Amino acid sequence: MSRVPAPLLPALALVVAGAAAPAAAQVSRPEPVYEGSDRIEEWSARRILVVTPHPDDETFTSGGTLAMLAANGNEIRVVVYTTDNAGSRDPSMTKDRLKAIRRAEEEEACRILGIPKENIVWLGHDDGMLEYVDRRELTRQVAREIRRFKPDALFSVDPGSPYEQYHKSDHRSGAIITVDAIRAARWRLYFPELEAEGFEAWSVPLVFFYYSASPNYTVDITGVAETKARASAAHISQFGSMVDRYDPAAVEEQRKEWAARLLERAERENGRVVERFRRSTAY
Ligand SMILES: [Zn+2]
């Protein structure tokens, strides 16, 4: 998007700008042809694990695909690294209050997408501080969740995105830790204590990376684009004036306004609303 109304949180600004940015950075290779069971639209009764730095990244990038997967009878679990408790300029905001707001927003967004709140796992780390959490412990935490859920596919931030070099630490760290945890989940001797806890090794067969600079997999989400826009707008404390002054009385109205705006700005290709991922079996 060339014109983004200020003020927007960096996270959203990235998403809005990010919709256009990867196109410029994209390699010119044509997208591989994926058919049959390689098409995510065909899936049912599969287990999908989402591992996200903040409780909004997955909604903004993958909400349409997740809504479709949920509607088709797949089980989705969402692991959130941080509580997102620092992204507000409201002088009266506290970290505890923001944590509660962001938690409720994520639960509402997931509800709209068809994911029950019981399927959200909060690792509970402070917003912006993921880089300073003990990396061994963090990797073990995520490896444990992978082994617990045994996903058929996993969604997370692309660790190869150029803009991760300067984007917030949680995205850099989250991206790297997730792929390290996928490896640690696969090899039983990485964290033998997990096996002792009853979590046996599990190989994640397929990963869809979002925020990718080199996407190779496009999903047509036109049928659920409105659902995605509503779910994204559920994160209303991340938008516009609500960042500067959170007004509980304005939540409903602001959500409606932003849902319409986000739908209008959704990434499109040949008139269809799309989401793009880097699909990978090697990581
Ligand atoms: Zn984020």
PDB file of all heavy atoms in Angstrom, residues 162-200:
ATOM      1  N   PRO A 162      14.064 -10.876   4.330  1.00  0.00           N
ATOM      2  CA  PRO A 162      15.046  -9.786   4.500  1.00  0.00           C
ATOM      3  C   PRO A 162      14.607  -8.774   5.556  1.00  0.00           C
ATOM      4  O   PRO A 162      15.422  -8.271   6.303  1.00  0.00           O
ATOM      5  CB  PRO A 162      15.086  -9.132   3.120  1.00  0.00           C
ATOM      6  CG  PRO A 162      14.609 -10.179   2.195  1.00  0.00           C
ATOM      7  CD  PRO A 162      13.634 -11.032   2.951  1.00  0.00           C
ATOM      8  N   TYR A 163      13.303  -8.498   5.622  1.00  0.00           N
ATOM      9  CA  TYR A 163      12.926  -7.441   6.557  1.00  0.00           C
ATOM     10  C   TYR A 163      13.011  -7.880   8.007  1.00  0.00           C
ATOM     11  O   TYR A 163      12.961  -7.070   8.911  1.00  0.00           O
ATOM     12  CB  TYR A 163      11.560  -6.838   6.246  1.00  0.00           C
ATOM     13  CG  TYR A 163      10.387  -7.778   6.223  1.00  0.00           C
ATOM     14  CD1 TYR A 163       9.910  -8.366   7.391  1.00  0.00           C
ATOM     15  CD2 TYR A 163       9.731  -8.047   5.040  1.00  0.00           C
ATOM     16  CE1 TYR A 163       8.825  -9.203   7.364  1.00  0.00           C
ATOM     17  CE2 TYR A 163       8.642  -8.894   4.998  1.00  0.00           C
ATOM     18  CZ  TYR A 163       8.194  -9.465   6.160  1.00  0.00           C
ATOM     19  OH  TYR A 163       7.118 -10.292   6.141  1.00  0.00           O
ATOM     20  N   GLU A 164      13.197  -9.186   8.234  1.00  0.00           N
ATOM     21  CA  GLU A 164      13.421  -9.626   9.614  1.00  0.00           C
ATOM     22  C   GLU A 164      14.725  -9.059  10.158  1.00  0.00           C
ATOM     23  O   GLU A 164      14.944  -9.021  11.358  1.00  0.00           O
ATOM     24  CB  GLU A 164      13.442 -11.151   9.702  1.00  0.00           C
ATOM     25  CG  GLU A 164      12.160 -11.819   9.280  1.00  0.00           C
ATOM     26  CD  GLU A 164      10.944 -11.350  10.053  1.00  0.00           C
ATOM     27  OE1 GLU A 164      11.101 -10.883  11.184  1.00  0.00           O
ATOM     28  OE2 GLU A 164       9.840 -11.416   9.494  1.00  0.00           O
ATOM     29  N   GLN A 165      15.596  -8.631   9.236  1.00  0.00           N
ATOM     30  CA  GLN A 165      16.871  -8.082   9.694  1.00  0.00           C
ATOM     31  C   GLN A 165      16.671  -6.817  10.513  1.00  0.00           C
ATOM     32  O   GLN A 165      17.463  -6.494  11.379  1.00  0.00           O
ATOM     33  CB  GLN A 165      17.771  -7.777   8.499  1.00  0.00           C
ATOM     34  CG  GLN A 165      18.232  -9.032   7.788  1.00  0.00           C
ATOM     35  CD  GLN A 165      18.867  -8.714   6.451  1.00  0.00           C
ATOM     36  OE1 GLN A 165      19.138  -7.566   6.152  1.00  0.00           O
ATOM     37  NE2 GLN A 165      19.097  -9.720   5.646  1.00  0.00           N
ATOM     38  N   TYR A 166      15.618  -6.081  10.187  1.00  0.00           N
ATOM     39  CA  TYR A 166      15.417  -4.856  10.950  1.00  0.00           C
ATOM     40  C   TYR A 166      14.084  -4.828  11.675  1.00  0.00           C
ATOM     41  O   TYR A 166      13.822  -3.918  12.442  1.00  0.00           O
ATOM     42  CB  TYR A 166      15.565  -3.613  10.060  1.00  0.00           C
ATOM     43  CG  TYR A 166      14.605  -3.552   8.894  1.00  0.00           C
ATOM     44  CD1 TYR A 166      13.311  -3.114   9.064  1.00  0.00           C
ATOM     45  CD2 TYR A 166      15.017  -3.916   7.608  1.00  0.00           C
ATOM     46  CE1 TYR A 166      12.434  -3.052   7.999  1.00  0.00           C
ATOM     47  CE2 TYR A 166      14.144  -3.857   6.542  1.00  0.00           C
ATOM     48  CZ  TYR A 166      12.857  -3.423   6.737  1.00  0.00           C
ATOM     49  OH  TYR A 166      12.010  -3.372   5.680  1.00  0.00           O
ATOM     50  N   HIS A 167      13.261  -5.831  11.446  1.00  0.00           N
ATOM     51  CA  HIS A 167      11.985  -5.823  12.145  1.00  0.00           C
ATOM     52  C   HIS A 167      12.195  -6.235  13.595  1.00  0.00           C
ATOM     53  O   HIS A 167      13.255  -6.639  13.998  1.00  0.00           O
ATOM     54  CB  HIS A 167      10.985  -6.746  11.449  1.00  0.00           C
ATOM     55  CG  HIS A 167       9.596  -6.581  11.979  1.00  0.00           C
ATOM     56  ND1 HIS A 167       8.989  -5.357  12.066  1.00  0.00           N
ATOM     57  CD2 HIS A 167       8.733  -7.463  12.484  1.00  0.00           C
ATOM     58  CE1 HIS A 167       7.795  -5.512  12.602  1.00  0.00           C
ATOM     59  NE2 HIS A 167       7.618  -6.789  12.862  1.00  0.00           N
ATOM     60  N   LYS A 168      11.138  -6.113  14.365  1.00  0.00           N
ATOM     61  CA  LYS A 168      11.238  -6.301  15.807  1.00  0.00           C
ATOM     62  C   LYS A 168      11.810  -7.664  16.194  1.00  0.00           C
ATOM     63  O   LYS A 168      11.654  -8.645  15.479  1.00  0.00           O
ATOM     64  CB  LYS A 168       9.887  -6.074  16.461  1.00  0.00           C
ATOM     65  CG  LYS A 168       8.802  -6.976  15.916  1.00  0.00           C
ATOM     66  CD  LYS A 168       7.499  -6.757  16.636  1.00  0.00           C
ATOM     67  CE  LYS A 168       6.756  -5.554  16.137  1.00  0.00           C
ATOM     68  NZ  LYS A 168       5.396  -5.446  16.686  1.00  0.00           N
ATOM     69  N   SER A 169      12.432  -7.661  17.333  1.00  0.00           N
ATOM     70  CA  SER A 169      13.180  -8.842  17.752  1.00  0.00           C
ATOM     71  C   SER A 169      12.301 -10.086  17.837  1.00  0.00           C
ATOM     72  O   SER A 169      12.755 -11.192  17.579  1.00  0.00           O
ATOM     73  CB  SER A 169      13.842  -8.588  19.102  1.00  0.00           C
ATOM     74  OG  SER A 169      12.867  -8.532  20.120  1.00  0.00           O
ATOM     75  N   ASP A 170      11.043  -9.905  18.214  1.00  0.00           N
ATOM     76  CA  ASP A 170      10.183 -11.078  18.384  1.00  0.00           C
ATOM     77  C   ASP A 170       9.999 -11.835  17.071  1.00  0.00           C
ATOM     78  O   ASP A 170       9.864 -13.062  17.069  1.00  0.00           O
ATOM     79  CB  ASP A 170       8.807 -10.657  18.915  1.00  0.00           C
ATOM     80  CG  ASP A 170       8.902  -9.983  20.275  1.00  0.00           C
ATOM     81  OD1 ASP A 170       9.906 -10.201  20.973  1.00  0.00           O
ATOM     82  OD2 ASP A 170       7.973  -9.241  20.623  1.00  0.00           O
ATOM     83  N   HIS A 171       9.969 -11.117  15.955  1.00  0.00           N
ATOM     84  CA  HIS A 171       9.807 -11.797  14.668  1.00  0.00           C
ATOM     85  C   HIS A 171      11.093 -12.507  14.271  1.00  0.00           C
ATOM     86  O   HIS A 171      11.068 -13.641  13.807  1.00  0.00           O
ATOM     87  CB  HIS A 171       9.407 -10.801  13.575  1.00  0.00           C
ATOM     88  CG  HIS A 171       7.991 -10.324  13.716  1.00  0.00           C
ATOM     89  ND1 HIS A 171       7.260  -9.819  12.668  1.00  0.00           N
ATOM     90  CD2 HIS A 171       7.179 -10.263  14.788  1.00  0.00           C
ATOM     91  CE1 HIS A 171       6.050  -9.481  13.089  1.00  0.00           C
ATOM     92  NE2 HIS A 171       5.993  -9.722  14.380  1.00  0.00           N
ATOM     93  N   ARG A 172      12.217 -11.826  14.474  1.00  0.00           N
ATOM     94  CA  ARG A 172      13.506 -12.472  14.178  1.00  0.00           C
ATOM     95  C   ARG A 172      13.647 -13.733  15.011  1.00  0.00           C
ATOM     96  O   ARG A 172      13.909 -14.813  14.509  1.00  0.00           O
ATOM     97  CB  ARG A 172      14.671 -11.526  14.528  1.00  0.00           C
ATOM     98  CG  ARG A 172      14.824 -10.328  13.654  1.00  0.00           C
ATOM     99  CD  ARG A 172      16.218  -9.719  13.857  1.00  0.00           C
ATOM    100  NE  ARG A 172      16.518  -9.387  15.246  1.00  0.00           N
ATOM    101  CZ  ARG A 172      16.295  -8.203  15.805  1.00  0.00           C
ATOM    102  NH1 ARG A 172      15.768  -7.230  15.082  1.00  0.00           N
ATOM    103  NH2 ARG A 172      16.610  -7.968  17.066  1.00  0.00           N
ATOM    104  N   SER A 173      13.480 -13.563  16.325  1.00  0.00           N
ATOM    105  CA  SER A 173      13.688 -14.684  17.237  1.00  0.00           C
ATOM    106  C   SER A 173      12.671 -15.782  17.006  1.00  0.00           C
ATOM    107  O   SER A 173      13.013 -16.965  16.959  1.00  0.00           O
ATOM    108  CB  SER A 173      13.589 -14.220  18.697  1.00  0.00           C
ATOM    109  OG  SER A 173      14.625 -13.353  18.991  1.00  0.00           O
ATOM    110  N   GLY A 174      11.411 -15.373  16.876  1.00  0.00           N
ATOM    111  CA  GLY A 174      10.352 -16.367  16.704  1.00  0.00           C
ATOM    112  C   GLY A 174      10.592 -17.223  15.480  1.00  0.00           C
ATOM    113  O   GLY A 174      10.450 -18.452  15.513  1.00  0.00           O
ATOM    114  N   ALA A 175      10.972 -16.576  14.383  1.00  0.00           N
ATOM    115  CA  ALA A 175      11.207 -17.308  13.135  1.00  0.00           C
ATOM    116  C   ALA A 175      12.312 -18.350  13.308  1.00  0.00           C
ATOM    117  O   ALA A 175      12.160 -19.514  12.925  1.00  0.00           O
ATOM    118  CB  ALA A 175      11.579 -16.318  12.026  1.00  0.00           C
ATOM    119  N   ILE A 176      13.409 -17.923  13.897  1.00  0.00           N
ATOM    120  CA  ILE A 176      14.563 -18.821  14.046  1.00  0.00           C
ATOM    121  C   ILE A 176      14.265 -19.925  15.061  1.00  0.00           C
ATOM    122  O   ILE A 176      14.565 -21.102  14.836  1.00  0.00           O
ATOM    123  CB  ILE A 176      15.812 -18.019  14.501  1.00  0.00           C
ATOM    124  CG1 ILE A 176      16.179 -16.967  13.447  1.00  0.00           C
ATOM    125  CG2 ILE A 176      16.977 -18.958  14.791  1.00  0.00           C
ATOM    126  CD1 ILE A 176      16.650 -17.511  12.131  1.00  0.00           C
ATOM    127  N   ILE A 177      13.682 -19.525  16.180  1.00  0.00           N
ATOM    128  CA  ILE A 177      13.409 -20.519  17.224  1.00  0.00           C
ATOM    129  C   ILE A 177      12.442 -21.583  16.700  1.00  0.00           C
ATOM    130  O   ILE A 177      12.582 -22.773  16.987  1.00  0.00           O
ATOM    131  CB  ILE A 177      12.827 -19.848  18.492  1.00  0.00           C
ATOM    132  CG1 ILE A 177      13.857 -18.918  19.135  1.00  0.00           C
ATOM    133  CG2 ILE A 177      12.337 -20.907  19.492  1.00  0.00           C
ATOM    134  CD1 ILE A 177      15.019 -19.572  19.817  1.00  0.00           C
ATOM    135  N   THR A 178      11.441 -21.162  15.924  1.00  0.00           N
ATOM    136  CA  THR A 178      10.467 -22.136  15.417  1.00  0.00           C
ATOM    137  C   THR A 178      11.149 -23.208  14.567  1.00  0.00           C
ATOM    138  O   THR A 178      10.898 -24.408  14.757  1.00  0.00           O
ATOM    139  CB  THR A 178       9.363 -21.444  14.599  1.00  0.00           C
ATOM    140  OG1 THR A 178       8.699 -20.477  15.421  1.00  0.00           O
ATOM    141  CG2 THR A 178       8.346 -22.454  14.102  1.00  0.00           C
ATOM    142  N   VAL A 179      12.017 -22.791  13.649  1.00  0.00           N
ATOM    143  CA  VAL A 179      12.652 -23.817  12.808  1.00  0.00           C
ATOM    144  C   VAL A 179      13.633 -24.666  13.624  1.00  0.00           C
ATOM    145  O   VAL A 179      13.776 -25.873  13.380  1.00  0.00           O
ATOM    146  CB  VAL A 179      13.349 -23.234  11.547  1.00  0.00           C
ATOM    147  CG1 VAL A 179      12.328 -22.728  10.554  1.00  0.00           C
ATOM    148  CG2 VAL A 179      14.329 -22.156  11.891  1.00  0.00           C
ATOM    149  N   ASP A 180      14.269 -24.053  14.608  1.00  0.00           N
ATOM    150  CA  ASP A 180      15.143 -24.853  15.480  1.00  0.00           C
ATOM    151  C   ASP A 180      14.317 -25.867  16.286  1.00  0.00           C
ATOM    152  O   ASP A 180      14.753 -26.998  16.518  1.00  0.00           O
ATOM    153  CB  ASP A 180      15.925 -23.945  16.438  1.00  0.00           C
ATOM    154  CG  ASP A 180      17.056 -23.198  15.740  1.00  0.00           C
ATOM    155  OD1 ASP A 180      17.310 -23.489  14.553  1.00  0.00           O
ATOM    156  OD2 ASP A 180      17.664 -22.322  16.376  1.00  0.00           O
ATOM    157  N   ALA A 181      13.133 -25.426  16.709  1.00  0.00           N
ATOM    158  CA  ALA A 181      12.267 -26.321  17.495  1.00  0.00           C
ATOM    159  C   ALA A 181      11.724 -27.460  16.631  1.00  0.00           C
ATOM    160  O   ALA A 181      11.549 -28.585  17.111  1.00  0.00           O
ATOM    161  CB  ALA A 181      11.118 -25.528  18.111  1.00  0.00           C
ATOM    162  N   ILE A 182      11.468 -27.183  15.365  1.00  0.00           N
ATOM    163  CA  ILE A 182      11.022 -28.249  14.451  1.00  0.00           C
ATOM    164  C   ILE A 182      12.099 -29.334  14.389  1.00  0.00           C
ATOM    165  O   ILE A 182      11.816 -30.532  14.454  1.00  0.00           O
ATOM    166  CB  ILE A 182      10.737 -27.677  13.038  1.00  0.00           C
ATOM    167  CG1 ILE A 182       9.485 -26.796  13.071  1.00  0.00           C
ATOM    168  CG2 ILE A 182      10.586 -28.799  12.017  1.00  0.00           C
ATOM    169  CD1 ILE A 182       9.247 -26.017  11.777  1.00  0.00           C
ATOM    170  N   ARG A 183      13.340 -28.885  14.317  1.00  0.00           N
ATOM    171  CA  ARG A 183      14.450 -29.846  14.276  1.00  0.00           C
ATOM    172  C   ARG A 183      14.569 -30.586  15.614  1.00  0.00           C
ATOM    173  O   ARG A 183      14.745 -31.802  15.652  1.00  0.00           O
ATOM    174  CB  ARG A 183      15.760 -29.116  13.954  1.00  0.00           C
ATOM    175  CG  ARG A 183      16.926 -30.029  13.653  1.00  0.00           C
ATOM    176  CD  ARG A 183      18.103 -29.266  13.082  1.00  0.00           C
ATOM    177  NE  ARG A 183      17.741 -28.554  11.868  1.00  0.00           N
ATOM    178  CZ  ARG A 183      17.615 -27.222  11.775  1.00  0.00           C
ATOM    179  NH1 ARG A 183      17.851 -26.477  12.820  1.00  0.00           N
ATOM    180  NH2 ARG A 183      17.265 -26.670  10.649  1.00  0.00           N
ATOM    181  N   ALA A 184      14.464 -29.843  16.685  1.00  0.00           N
ATOM    182  CA  ALA A 184      14.596 -30.458  18.014  1.00  0.00           C
ATOM    183  C   ALA A 184      13.441 -31.416  18.308  1.00  0.00           C
ATOM    184  O   ALA A 184      13.598 -32.366  19.078  1.00  0.00           O
ATOM    185  CB  ALA A 184      14.654 -29.367  19.079  1.00  0.00           C
ATOM    186  N   ALA A 185      12.293 -31.157  17.691  1.00  0.00           N
ATOM    187  CA  ALA A 185      11.161 -32.072  17.877  1.00  0.00           C
ATOM    188  C   ALA A 185      11.407 -33.390  17.153  1.00  0.00           C
ATOM    189  O   ALA A 185      10.942 -34.448  17.566  1.00  0.00           O
ATOM    190  CB  ALA A 185       9.874 -31.424  17.366  1.00  0.00           C
ATOM    191  N   ARG A 186      12.169 -33.309  16.066  1.00  0.00           N
ATOM    192  CA  ARG A 186      12.382 -34.483  15.217  1.00  0.00           C
ATOM    193  C   ARG A 186      13.404 -35.452  15.791  1.00  0.00           C
ATOM    194  O   ARG A 186      13.271 -36.664  15.653  1.00  0.00           O
ATOM    195  CB  ARG A 186      12.845 -34.012  13.835  1.00  0.00           C
ATOM    196  CG  ARG A 186      13.183 -35.136  12.885  1.00  0.00           C
ATOM    197  CD  ARG A 186      13.768 -34.603  11.595  1.00  0.00           C
ATOM    198  NE  ARG A 186      12.832 -33.697  10.941  1.00  0.00           N
ATOM    199  CZ  ARG A 186      13.194 -32.686  10.151  1.00  0.00           C
ATOM    200  NH1 ARG A 186      14.463 -32.422   9.947  1.00  0.00           N
ATOM    201  NH2 ARG A 186      12.287 -31.929   9.583  1.00  0.00           N
ATOM    202  N   TRP A 187      14.434 -34.899  16.438  1.00  0.00           N
ATOM    203  CA  TRP A 187      15.549 -35.736  16.904  1.00  0.00           C
ATOM    204  C   TRP A 187      15.418 -35.971  18.400  1.00  0.00           C
ATOM    205  O   TRP A 187      15.510 -35.043  19.191  1.00  0.00           O
ATOM    206  CB  TRP A 187      16.879 -35.063  16.567  1.00  0.00           C
ATOM    207  CG  TRP A 187      17.081 -34.919  15.089  1.00  0.00           C
ATOM    208  CD1 TRP A 187      16.860 -33.819  14.332  1.00  0.00           C
ATOM    209  CD2 TRP A 187      17.514 -35.931  14.178  1.00  0.00           C
ATOM    210  NE1 TRP A 187      17.128 -34.058  13.008  1.00  0.00           N
ATOM    211  CE2 TRP A 187      17.534 -35.354  12.888  1.00  0.00           C
ATOM    212  CE3 TRP A 187      17.887 -37.270  14.333  1.00  0.00           C
ATOM    213  CZ2 TRP A 187      17.908 -36.075  11.751  1.00  0.00           C
ATOM    214  CZ3 TRP A 187      18.270 -37.984  13.201  1.00  0.00           C
ATOM    215  CH2 TRP A 187      18.288 -37.387  11.929  1.00  0.00           C
ATOM    216  N   ARG A 188      15.291 -37.221  18.758  1.00  0.00           N
ATOM    217  CA  ARG A 188      14.953 -37.544  20.150  1.00  0.00           C
ATOM    218  C   ARG A 188      16.048 -37.162  21.143  1.00  0.00           C
ATOM    219  O   ARG A 188      15.779 -36.866  22.304  1.00  0.00           O
ATOM    220  CB  ARG A 188      14.614 -39.031  20.299  1.00  0.00           C
ATOM    221  CG  ARG A 188      15.686 -40.004  19.857  1.00  0.00           C
ATOM    222  CD  ARG A 188      15.226 -41.446  20.061  1.00  0.00           C
ATOM    223  NE  ARG A 188      15.142 -41.785  21.475  1.00  0.00           N
ATOM    224  CZ  ARG A 188      16.153 -42.332  22.165  1.00  0.00           C
ATOM    225  NH1 ARG A 188      17.297 -42.606  21.562  1.00  0.00           N
ATOM    226  NH2 ARG A 188      16.006 -42.608  23.430  1.00  0.00           N
ATOM    227  N   LEU A 189      17.295 -37.094  20.661  1.00  0.00           N
ATOM    228  CA  LEU A 189      18.388 -36.813  21.596  1.00  0.00           C
ATOM    229  C   LEU A 189      18.644 -35.309  21.792  1.00  0.00           C
ATOM    230  O   LEU A 189      19.479 -34.930  22.599  1.00  0.00           O
ATOM    231  CB  LEU A 189      19.675 -37.506  21.120  1.00  0.00           C
ATOM    232  CG  LEU A 189      19.617 -39.043  21.145  1.00  0.00           C
ATOM    233  CD1 LEU A 189      20.917 -39.643  20.601  1.00  0.00           C
ATOM    234  CD2 LEU A 189      19.363 -39.554  22.567  1.00  0.00           C
ATOM    235  N   TYR A 190      17.901 -34.471  21.064  1.00  0.00           N
ATOM    236  CA  TYR A 190      18.078 -33.027  21.261  1.00  0.00           C
ATOM    237  C   TYR A 190      17.680 -32.626  22.684  1.00  0.00           C
ATOM    238  O   TYR A 190      18.392 -31.937  23.377  1.00  0.00           O
ATOM    239  CB  TYR A 190      17.245 -32.234  20.248  1.00  0.00           C
ATOM    240  CG  TYR A 190      18.011 -31.803  19.022  1.00  0.00           C
ATOM    241  CD1 TYR A 190      18.737 -32.714  18.272  1.00  0.00           C
ATOM    242  CD2 TYR A 190      18.001 -30.471  18.616  1.00  0.00           C
ATOM    243  CE1 TYR A 190      19.435 -32.315  17.140  1.00  0.00           C
ATOM    244  CE2 TYR A 190      18.700 -30.066  17.487  1.00  0.00           C
ATOM    245  CZ  TYR A 190      19.407 -30.983  16.751  1.00  0.00           C
ATOM    246  OH  TYR A 190      20.097 -30.588  15.637  1.00  0.00           O
ATOM    247  N   PHE A 191      16.482 -33.032  23.065  1.00  0.00           N
ATOM    248  CA  PHE A 191      16.014 -32.758  24.424  1.00  0.00           C
ATOM    249  C   PHE A 191      15.481 -34.071  25.006  1.00  0.00           C
ATOM    250  O   PHE A 191      14.273 -34.318  24.996  1.00  0.00           O
ATOM    251  CB  PHE A 191      14.899 -31.702  24.436  1.00  0.00           C
ATOM    252  CG  PHE A 191      15.350 -30.316  24.072  1.00  0.00           C
ATOM    253  CD1 PHE A 191      14.934 -29.728  22.885  1.00  0.00           C
ATOM    254  CD2 PHE A 191      16.186 -29.598  24.920  1.00  0.00           C
ATOM    255  CE1 PHE A 191      15.341 -28.444  22.546  1.00  0.00           C
ATOM    256  CE2 PHE A 191      16.603 -28.310  24.591  1.00  0.00           C
ATOM    257  CZ  PHE A 191      16.182 -27.737  23.394  1.00  0.00           C
ATOM    258  N   PRO A 192      16.379 -34.911  25.495  1.00  0.00           N
ATOM    259  CA  PRO A 192      15.943 -36.233  25.990  1.00  0.00           C
ATOM    260  C   PRO A 192      14.909 -36.107  27.101  1.00  0.00           C
ATOM    261  O   PRO A 192      14.075 -37.001  27.285  1.00  0.00           O
ATOM    262  CB  PRO A 192      17.234 -36.858  26.527  1.00  0.00           C
ATOM    263  CG  PRO A 192      18.350 -36.018  26.046  1.00  0.00           C
ATOM    264  CD  PRO A 192      17.816 -34.692  25.641  1.00  0.00           C
ATOM    265  N   GLU A 193      14.947 -34.982  27.813  1.00  0.00           N
ATOM    266  CA  GLU A 193      13.993 -34.801  28.915  1.00  0.00           C
ATOM    267  C   GLU A 193      12.555 -34.732  28.400  1.00  0.00           C
ATOM    268  O   GLU A 193      11.622 -35.082  29.122  1.00  0.00           O
ATOM    269  CB  GLU A 193      14.337 -33.561  29.750  1.00  0.00           C
ATOM    270  CG  GLU A 193      14.305 -32.237  28.997  1.00  0.00           C
ATOM    271  CD  GLU A 193      15.650 -31.895  28.335  1.00  0.00           C
ATOM    272  OE1 GLU A 193      16.358 -32.828  27.903  1.00  0.00           O
ATOM    273  OE2 GLU A 193      15.967 -30.698  28.242  1.00  0.00           O
ATOM    274  N   LEU A 194      12.379 -34.298  27.154  1.00  0.00           N
ATOM    275  CA  LEU A 194      11.017 -34.254  26.605  1.00  0.00           C
ATOM    276  C   LEU A 194      10.463 -35.663  26.428  1.00  0.00           C
ATOM    277  O   LEU A 194       9.280 -35.920  26.662  1.00  0.00           O
ATOM    278  CB  LEU A 194      10.993 -33.505  25.260  1.00  0.00           C
ATOM    279  CG  LEU A 194      11.223 -31.995  25.315  1.00  0.00           C
ATOM    280  CD1 LEU A 194      11.167 -31.404  23.905  1.00  0.00           C
ATOM    281  CD2 LEU A 194      10.204 -31.312  26.211  1.00  0.00           C
ATOM    282  N   GLU A 195      11.326 -36.550  26.003  1.00  0.00           N
ATOM    283  CA  GLU A 195      10.903 -37.941  25.851  1.00  0.00           C
ATOM    284  C   GLU A 195      10.541 -38.522  27.224  1.00  0.00           C
ATOM    285  O   GLU A 195       9.557 -39.237  27.371  1.00  0.00           O
ATOM    286  CB  GLU A 195      12.027 -38.755  25.209  1.00  0.00           C
ATOM    287  CG  GLU A 195      11.528 -40.000  24.504  1.00  0.00           C
ATOM    288  CD  GLU A 195      12.635 -40.636  23.664  1.00  0.00           C
ATOM    289  OE1 GLU A 195      13.691 -40.999  24.214  1.00  0.00           O
ATOM    290  OE2 GLU A 195      12.425 -40.762  22.455  1.00  0.00           O
ATOM    291  N   ALA A 196      11.322 -38.137  28.212  1.00  0.00           N
ATOM    292  CA  ALA A 196      11.039 -38.600  29.578  1.00  0.00           C
ATOM    293  C   ALA A 196       9.699 -38.060  30.074  1.00  0.00           C
ATOM    294  O   ALA A 196       9.015 -38.697  30.876  1.00  0.00           O
ATOM    295  CB  ALA A 196      12.163 -38.176  30.513  1.00  0.00           C
ATOM    296  N   GLU A 197       9.314 -36.870  29.577  1.00  0.00           N
ATOM    297  CA  GLU A 197       8.012 -36.292  29.938  1.00  0.00           C
ATOM    298  C   GLU A 197       6.870 -36.959  29.168  1.00  0.00           C
ATOM    299  O   GLU A 197       5.704 -36.654  29.412  1.00  0.00           O
ATOM    300  CB  GLU A 197       7.979 -34.786  29.616  1.00  0.00           C
ATOM    301  CG  GLU A 197       8.837 -33.916  30.498  1.00  0.00           C
ATOM    302  CD  GLU A 197       8.845 -32.466  30.008  1.00  0.00           C
ATOM    303  OE1 GLU A 197       7.830 -32.015  29.410  1.00  0.00           O
ATOM    304  OE2 GLU A 197       9.857 -31.790  30.209  1.00  0.00           O
ATOM    305  N   GLY A 198       7.215 -37.815  28.214  1.00  0.00           N
ATOM    306  CA  GLY A 198       6.180 -38.503  27.443  1.00  0.00           C
ATOM    307  C   GLY A 198       5.959 -37.931  26.047  1.00  0.00           C
ATOM    308  O   GLY A 198       5.040 -38.341  25.345  1.00  0.00           O
ATOM    309  N   PHE A 199       6.805 -36.965  25.659  1.00  0.00           N
ATOM    310  CA  PHE A 199       6.642 -36.354  24.334  1.00  0.00           C
ATOM    311  C   PHE A 199       7.655 -36.955  23.372  1.00  0.00           C
ATOM    312  O   PHE A 199       8.826 -36.569  23.348  1.00  0.00           O
ATOM    313  CB  PHE A 199       6.812 -34.837  24.424  1.00  0.00           C
ATOM    314  CG  PHE A 199       5.828 -34.185  25.345  1.00  0.00           C
ATOM    315  CD1 PHE A 199       6.245 -33.514  26.477  1.00  0.00           C
ATOM    316  CD2 PHE A 199       4.461 -34.263  25.087  1.00  0.00           C
ATOM    317  CE1 PHE A 199       5.333 -32.918  27.336  1.00  0.00           C
ATOM    318  CE2 PHE A 199       3.538 -33.668  25.934  1.00  0.00           C
ATOM    319  CZ  PHE A 199       3.975 -32.996  27.066  1.00  0.00           C
ATOM    320  N   GLU A 200       7.189 -37.873  22.569  1.00  0.00           N
ATOM    321  CA  GLU A 200       8.096 -38.569  21.656  1.00  0.00           C
ATOM    322  C   GLU A 200       8.405 -37.726  20.424  1.00  0.00           C
ATOM    323  O   GLU A 200       7.644 -36.825  20.075  1.00  0.00           O
ATOM    324  CB  GLU A 200       7.474 -39.904  21.252  1.00  0.00           C
ATOM    325  CG  GLU A 200       7.285 -40.794  22.461  1.00  0.00           C
ATOM    326  CD  GLU A 200       7.044 -42.236  22.105  1.00  0.00           C
ATOM    327  OE1 GLU A 200       6.694 -42.515  20.950  1.00  0.00           O
ATOM    328  OE2 GLU A 200       7.203 -43.073  23.008  1.00  0.00           O
TER     329      GLU A 200
END
